[in-house]
Amino acid sequence: MHLQVSKSKKLVGQIEVPGDKSISHRAVMLGSLATGVTKISNFLMGADCLSTIECFQAMGIEFVQEGNNTITVKGRGLHGLREPEDVLNVGNSGTTIRLMMGILAGQPFFSTVTGDGSIRKRPMGRVIEPLREMGASINGRQNGTLAPIAIQGRVLRPIKFVSAVASAQVKSAVLLAGLYANGQTTVWEPQKSRDHTERMLSYLGADIEVKDQVVKITGNPSLEGRPVEVPGDISSAAFFMVAAAIIPGSRLRINRVGINSTRTGIIDVLRSMGADLKILNEDIVNGEPVGDIVIQGGDLQGTVIEGSLIPRLIDEIPVITIAAAVAKGETIIRDAAELKVKETDRISTMAGELRKMGVEVKELKDGMIINGGSALTGTICESHGDHRVAMSMAIAGLVADGKTTVKNAECIDVSFPGFEKVLKELIK
Ligand code: S3P
């Protein structure tokens, strides 16, 4: 599927974006490990979260869909999963494979896990190493660093784990394995990454303590199923936030978006670039803050994005590069080497696609420098099979002269089914 976008005058309207991807995954996984029913509303019916459902179905969990996006999980308790008969396939989803490995490490059965071509290139050693230290027997290609992965789970030992990367997937894998360890498991991370696992575990009754970058969890809790309302995904909202911010005259409201502070780096950055952005109707649902984001278009300036801000906006960097291309002056992104191990190497894929539109970009080993403010030229872009690259280039197409085509845009379904429809409704 190819997506066509033309230069647009402005974006006006009020929208909702699909449910948060990270929270949808966790609701399926933790709902499966809880006793009783977890009814998940505003669940993200994107390909990644459907992969998580399929994996847990293969381990004996029953799911019932009601309406468009409500899913009921019939949890079977911490020890209720069954050995899957076949290889578990996570498709494109890094969150599914890494978090699920933490759970599988503690099961009294054997399992194998794989995914698509992108997943099979992404680093798994960062999760396998601490899980081995906890006593699980895990192996994979290239000396246990790449999928497919084979896991013989068992009762685990608690560890004190110091993570080299600020990664919620690594932290969560160890915490989930910690559910199956006798005693207290501790995880320290160099900067705070998204904390949805901690919040949902606490909401479902786990014994978990959080202090700055340290999380402690006690094994063998009894988790009880409870209703979960998934907030709108700020990572999906980000595409429209940037689109409205870069087109003067735009006025957009995005209702009931997750505004957990571990995810709101995009708001801080757009404000630092000069965007007019307000948050209204703040509320808390199942331990997660939500609010309505109102944004108006105007002139932006370049900025510097680095340090502890990076984990708070890591998935938004592709679309932030579009704001940077339009903003006057230089935008510097550094300390973001993690971009190289996402669905694609997002430093090189975004730099390459931006250059096709005439943007001046310098690639760094841990980020990029974008010299913004010159006119963008509509052209033929490539998604590289990466949903966030595809949507970012569609947003660039709104401000580029002429027409832009994003090739192989079907990957957008990974996180944002219906993206094109929402976009076209807002264009005035
Ligand atoms: C996610 C964590 C982040 C993020 C990914 C979702 C999660 O990855 O990029 O899209 O749901 O835990 P890392 O843990 O690799 O930083």
Side-chain angles (χ1 to χ4, degrees), residues 20-23 25-26 48 94-96 98-99 122 126 165-172 193-194 196-197 235 263 311 314-316 338 341-343 346 387-388:
D20 187 274
K21 182 153 77 71
S22 294
I23 297 175
H25 283 301
R26 284 155 174 86
D48 269 16
T95 304
T96 310
R98 294 205 180 100
L99 269 61
R122 297 180 66 185
R126 49 177 64 191
V165 277
S167 157
Q169 293 176 357
V170 172
K171 171 177 64 174
S172 301
S193 64
R194 66 190 67 191
H196 307 299
T197 304
S235 298
R263 299 284 300 280
I314 188 75
D315 291 343
E316 288 65 76
E338 278 294 299
V341 291
K342 294 297 177 191
E343 285 82 332
R346 287 180 175 162
H387 54 132
R388 301 204 198 280

Side-chain angles (χ1 to χ4, degrees), residues 208-229:
I208 184 160
E209 281 169 43
V210 182
K211 195 163 184 294
D212 304 323
Q213 288 127 264
V214 181
V215 187
K216 294 181 179 173
I217 186 154
T218 303
N220 300 306
S222 49
L223 303 177
E224 260 181 64
R226 291 179 73 182
V228 173
E229 177 196 328

Side-chain angles (χ1 to χ4, degrees), residues 5-66:
V5 186
S6 303
K7 185 163 180 154
S8 302
K9 284 208 184 73
K10 58 182 175 179
L11 288 177
V12 177
Q14 198 170 146
I15 58 169
E16 263 118 48
V17 289
D20 187 274
K21 182 153 77 71
S22 294
I23 297 175
S24 295
H25 283 301
R26 284 155 174 86
V28 167
M29 293 187 190
L30 294 177
S32 299
L33 303 182
T35 50
V37 157
T38 292
K39 188 171 184 170
I40 314 169
S41 52
N42 201 34
F43 181 78
L44 170 61
M45 293 288 182
D48 269 16
C49 299
L50 296 177
S51 295
T52 298
I53 290 189
E54 276 165 31
C55 290
F56 281 79
Q57 269 170 339
M59 291 191 278
I61 303 294
E62 208 185 309
F63 296 86
V64 180
Q65 184 176 345
E66 271 170 55

